[in-house]
Amino acid sequence: MADLLENEQTRKQLIEQLRTQAPTVKDTSAASQSTASGSVTDDSLPRRVADSTQYFLTKLLDDMGDATAAIGAMARGENIGGPGMADWKTTLINFALVIAATVIAFIVLRLLAARIFAFINHWAGQAPPATVRRRLAGPATLRKIAAVIAALIVDVIAIALAGAVGYAVAMSVAGPNASVGTFDSLFVNAFVAVEIAKALVRTVFATRFARLRLFEMRDEVATYWNAWLCRLVGIAGYGMLVIVPVITALFTAALGNLAGLLIMLGMYVYAIRVVWRNRTLIRERLVLRASVASTAFFATLLRLLARVWHVLAIIYFTVLLVVSQVDPVEALPFMARATLQSVVAIALGLLVSAILTAILSHPIRLSDDMRTRLPLLEARINSYVPATLKGLRFITLVVVLLFVLDGWHAFDLSAWVMSESGKATISVVVHIAIILLFAALAWTIIASIIESRLSGTGTRAPSAREKTLLALFRNAALIVIVTMTILILLSQIGINIGPLIAGAGVVGLAIGFGAQKLVQDIITGIFIQLENGMNVNDVVEAGGVFGTVEKMTIRSVGIRTMDGGYHLIPFSSVDVVANHMRDFSYHMGEYTIAHRENVDDAIEHMRAAFAELMQDEVLSPEILEEITIPGVTAINERGVTIRVLIKTTPGMQWAIQRGYNRLLKKHFNAAGIELPYPHTVVYFGQDKDGNAPAAQVDLGRKADRSSPPKGRAPAAGHTPRPLSRAKSGSEDVLGNELEQRVPDEDDQV
């Protein structure tokens, strides 16, 4: 130690090393003091950035001062070289030989590799077989991907061989018993690292071989960006890994740091200038590329990148400048590792997203037996694909973002995964995915079975009652599954659902007491459905309203009346349900004839009218039995009333009524049977002797009119017509009084 301190140069180097380690010592002592005092050290990202910035500025000022002193010493002719540099001329000559041998070997190997690149480029341009072409989607075929990877491997092999040549030359010039010089090993290592980085750049742009280019772009664009990036990589790599260490070894650390600062500042200004000048051009090209993207996900990412790409580039080069001055030794390795990890994470994320898109873009096909039993299951499963794809893409995006932050030391991914919070978060995500999977599976099976039955794809078409009950059960199952899923998910993310369930019970009890009418509606509706009291499209009379049932829920029924009015009736208001569409119906007609007519003759004509009705091709299939005429049901001041009963299919009683009334009127007209008018008694008065004045009545008969046969005088107001078959059809009277309605699945609640 005494000998080192006596030498001025070694003393200055020792001081430089102590200054380099000073921030670490200060941080350690500060941490120890804060721990001893009971406080917690602030290790957050803003605090680390502030400390690094402060250290960067302090070190920059110190280096500038030391560099000024060293330059002044050099101007005065003082020797400022490091220890062991007496033979620096020999070292520099050997260093130059290693550089020349490595560069010449690399040029020769690149010329040889160019032939291989040409062959691979030609192979990549060949069209794949038709069978293969049908299996591939998009411009990036497997053949092109294989060609790009093969070209990269060849390029890396050429770089490795050139590095091996340089290392062999370094060993030969060092002698049989000597080790490779520091400068020689620095250059060879820097050469391999920098040229591999350039090889990755050439993989993206491939200026000479367009088919080996990773992305489609014009040749002039590829040439421009390839030259710019390779220039940046070369300046930063060789400058920080070779030039700065050589200056530091030959002169002082302060001059080396100053040289590194100048190199990085020049590179930074040049890079920012190029980025800012091309910001609009790159934005337009990214937006154009997004307009032809295969999926909306990639299009959104490209549009977002088009807006912020120049900001990200400026931040990247700014971080590179700062890190290179804060820690010159580890700056470039850190940036290389962070950049490589970010690029690999993004590439893998895009690859996973593309694979998911390729897999899920094709519809899922079930077996023929499954499609026969559950024809709607396949369509329902395929309806989940877009949401599943979005969820998987979101998870992929989050994972890629975490890996990128971990690469830049903004987030310690491995420590977080091993921590309790990380394990808990991953466990929660997995549990949530499993819960959603089982919930979707349960709902898919239940809904597919119910909808398959409702669609009538089985051996027997569902009845109206089955449709109503199945629709109600489907909605009830959906409510139960959604409620249970939400409660389980809340419990998984750490929310105590015990008070929630207890509170829901109390609220339900309060609602039950305050909404007794609602409870009565629901209970009555359940029993009406179970007892098959009414179904959609039934013609019923409920709650004093007569019409067609349009909609039924578990609480109310919607009835459409003949005037078009829609009546919503709660089931608690329904005391009696009169269903006119159950099993069979009756046309019950009561027809009144005049007192002077013969009842037996009228009944015969009623049967004759029914016989003609049975000849109708449209109405006769709707009649179930022969006509029933119970007889005279009333004798009053208007006449004699005869009842008729005709049994029909459900809902066809009104059509039969219209058809029978038309035929009966025709037969009564032909037979001269009077349907009585209202009667009025005219009183002419009388004198006190009981004599009435004579009535002057002019019957208005013409002399040429013949008198009707005895007993066959026509009724007043009636015109006798011969009996003939009606020419008009009966389609105009077919159907119910009210129009039926086909409900859809949204009508059931």
Side-chain angles (χ1 to χ4, degrees), residues 351-399:
L351 180 61
V352 170
S353 181
I355 292 174
L356 291 175
T357 303
I359 293 175
L360 298 179
S361 61
H362 302 288
I364 299 175
R365 304 291 298 177
L366 300 179
S367 62
D368 295 336
D369 181 62
M370 185 66 69
R371 286 202 300 270
T372 303
R373 289 188 296 172
L374 300 174
L376 301 179
L377 178 59
E378 184 176 296
R380 183 171 293 276
I381 292 176
N382 287 316
S383 65
Y384 297 147
V385 170
T388 304
L389 187 58
K390 290 180 181 179
L392 293 176
R393 283 174 175 171
F394 177 76
I395 295 175
T396 304
L397 181 62
V398 171
V399 173

Side-chain angles (χ1 to χ4, degrees), residues 598-621:
N598 187 291
V599 174
D600 295 334
D601 291 342
I603 291 175
E604 289 299 326
H605 288 290
M606 289 179 177
R607 296 187 183 277
F610 178 78
E612 184 175 349
L613 180 65
M614 292 299 294
Q615 302 301 320
D616 192 290
E617 297 179 355
V618 177
L619 295 179
S620 61

Side-chain angles (χ1 to χ4, degrees), residues 548-553 556-560 566-569:
T548 302
V549 177
E550 278 200 356
K551 179 180 179 180
M552 288 187 64
T553 67
S556 61
V557 58
I559 297 179
R560 180 81 63 180
Y566 182 77
H567 299 258
L568 186 63
I569 304 172

Side-chain angles (χ1 to χ4, degrees), residues 197-198 200-202 204-205 222-236 267 270-271 274-275 316-317:
K198 288 184 178 181
L200 294 176
V201 174
R202 288 192 293 269
V204 176
F205 298 102
T223 303
Y224 175 81
W225 290 106
N226 180 77
W228 178 68
L229 288 175
C230 288
R231 196 176 299 120
L232 287 180
V233 172
I235 294 173
M267 188 202 70
Y270 173 67
V274 173
V275 169
Y316 178 83
F317 289 112

